[in-house]
Amino acid sequence: GQNIDQPTEMTATEGAIVQINCTYQTSGFNGLFWYQQHAGEAPTFLSYNVLDGLEEKGRFSSFLSRSKGYSYLLLKELQMKDSASYLCAVRDGDYKLSFGAGTTVTVRA
Amino acid sequence: IAGITQAPTSQILAAGRRMTLRCTQDMRHNAMYWYRQDLGLGLRLIHYSNTAGTTGKGEVPDGYSVSRANTDDFPLTLASAVPSQTSVYFCASSDSTAGGRDTQYFGPGTRLTVL
């Protein structure tokens, strides 16, 4: 099966920066996704990486290293509304998405 | 544009009963998916469909069946519900013919409790 690991919980202060790491071991690789999921809601798409490097989108950035099986999501200038679960998902060789268990980020005032 | 809708929003079901969760999308996406989400386990793929008329098994298909009679609808059926099927169920869709990113978009979910 696929193996995707990310920390269970992280806490940070409003205005700070938080980095959520994701490591993966999958049968093939066709891209890595990050989703945001607020409690009781559906996951929503944040970012996509298929090549090595950094993708920046406003306050959120995502990095990928395929050789290391590693990605991170960087959240800058944290706001209270960023309190949510962040899901790392890898599209494998069969083009199926496998999800990590998610990282719950709590932003404190 | 509604995107993806799911029904019911929540349901309490007696063990052994049959139940169909409905999913409809209006984005004309070719691919559709059913996931279950359990605490500590993340989203797990139950069944998928790459195009109308075809379906495939995901990671946890046992006890579930699907059909894809047309592009828009992808119902999930529990033939005889068991308590271990208590979960939150998400339907998703994507345009896999576009190549590249093929982002999946999720419905609001159905919270199912089997007693």
Side-chain angles (χ1 to χ4, degrees):
Chain A
Q2 320 296 18
N3 191 27
I4 300 170
D5 290 319
Q6 50 182 131
T8 303
E9 296 180 332
M10 301 183 75
T11 301
T13 305
E14 197 173 14
I17 298 173
V18 69
Q19 177 175 314
I20 306 169
N21 296 323
C22 172
T23 58
Y24 63 89
Q25 289 178 304
T26 57
S27 306
F29 178 83
N30 283 294
L32 186 142
F33 297 77
W34 284 96
Y35 282 82
Q36 180 189 59
Q37 185 177 24
H38 285 101
E41 298 184 7
T44 56
F45 169 76
L46 281 180
S47 70
Y48 169 74
N49 295 70
V50 67
L51 300 176
D52 290 352
L54 188 67
E55 293 281 341
E56 296 187 87
K57 191 186 296 184
R59 295 187 298 112
F60 293 0
S61 303
S62 57
F63 171 83
L64 175 67
S65 169
R66 289 173 296 171
S67 63
K68 296 181 179 178
Y70 168 71
S71 173
Y72 68 72
L73 180 68
L74 195 68
L75 285 62
K76 293 177 279 189
E77 301 169 19
L78 277 173
Q79 302 176 9
M80 298 300 288
K81 66 178 182 180
D82 297 330
S83 291
S85 285
Y86 292 85
L87 314 179
C88 175
V90 176
R91 190 163 64 198
D92 64 21
D94 292 327
Y95 286 83
K96 299 296 175 293
L97 268 189
S98 293
F99 286 82
T103 299
T104 299
V105 172
T106 302
V107 181
R108 296 190 298 202
Chain B
I1 296 177
I4 303 180
T5 58
Q6 293 184 235
T9 302
S10 65
Q11 182 76 44
I12 299 175
L13 190 67
R17 296 296 296 268
R18 180 184 180 89
M19 176 74 190
T20 296
L21 308 185
R22 299 184 298 278
C23 175
T24 300
Q25 54 106 357
D26 63 4
M27 297 178 283
R28 307 303 295 173
H29 285 169
N30 64 299
M32 296 187 75
Y33 315 84
W34 274 106
Y35 293 90
R36 59 179 290 173
Q37 187 174 38
D38 302 290
L39 196 63
L41 293 178
L43 286 156
R44 292 181 292 168
L45 183 65
I46 304 171
H47 285 287
Y48 65 93
S49 169
N50 287 329
T51 189
T54 69
T55 62
K57 294 181 179 180
E59 180 185 356
V60 288
D62 293 344
Y64 305 95
S65 64
V66 292
S67 61
R68 186 89 184 277
N70 57 61
T71 298
D72 299 342
D73 301 301
F74 192 42
L76 175 74
T77 297
L78 289 67
S80 179
V82 295
S84 62
Q85 292 178 311
T86 294
S87 187
V88 180
Y89 291 86
F90 287 101
C91 179
S93 72
S94 70
D95 179 6
S96 66
T97 62
R101 197 163 70 181
D102 182 20
T103 302
Q104 292 188 17
Y105 297 90
F106 287 81
T110 294
R111 184 175 296 275
L112 182 67
T113 302
V114 183
L115 301 176

